Amino acid sequence: SSSALLQHITALFECSIAAIITLLISDPVGSLHIRSCKVKKLSDWYTMLYNPSPDYITTVHCTQEAVYPLYTIVFKYYAFCLVLMMLLRPLLVKKIACGLGKSDRFKSIYAALYFFPILTVLQAVGGGLLYYAFPYIILVLSLVTLAVYMSASEVESFKDLLVRKKRLVVLFSHWLLHAYGIISISKLDKLEQDLPLLALVPAPALFYLLTAKYTEPSRILSEGGNGH
């Protein structure tokens, strides 16, 4: 619906502005670039685990952010996202309230208030792991969410995909996400070798459409709804 689309656009705007502000206040201030320490190994993210204990008596707390500002910049970004959401989202909800039910008007805000603390804890605990694994996480999530969406929407052919524009928007969004994951893994160090990998972006969707007639997701969904 138009209300849902406006909420998605507003969320994208909030996140984009938060990212720009975060970059502008980071060193060097006023630039969209960041000056960071080089990451050499996973332990660089967890310096608190390496506080020395001379003679095994007193622990010297000399923890520093060895990967500055890659660790703390994420927390700043989440903080700006939260502030911008609290400033802008209520205005949007008030404007489109006529297109939303009373129980749906603040669901996006409530969801964010749950997710931001969860994301903050994940960054605090697993920042280093996410740094190394996020390209692969993105690829897996894009594949899983695309398969779940297409099966839930009972898309079993190219015709079903073209019936609604929303399905094409979702498909292209997953393709962008998949392409971003491939670029993140390859880092485009060798363009002549890495750019052809982007041709694999439509492969999961094509594989799903070509094999849907054998798996029959609509039958599986109907049986699942009947408790079988």
Side-chain angles (χ1 to χ4, degrees), residues 20-36:
I20 293 173
I21 294 175
T22 304
L23 291 175
L24 289 176
I25 67 172
S26 300
D27 185 37
V29 178
S31 173
L32 293 178
H33 300 279
I34 60 172
R35 186 181 294 115
S36 65

Side-chain angles (χ1 to χ4, degrees), residues 136-146 174 177:
Y136 306 98
I137 295 174
I138 288 176
L139 283 179
V140 173
L141 286 178
S142 67
L143 290 174
V144 172
T145 54
L146 179 62
H174 279 85
L177 194 63

Side-chain angles (χ1 to χ4, degrees), residues 121-141:
V121 172
L122 286 176
Q123 171 64 14
V125 176
L129 297 174
L130 293 173
Y131 176 81
Y132 284 102
F134 88 92
Y136 306 98
I137 295 174
I138 288 176
L139 283 179
V140 173
L141 286 178

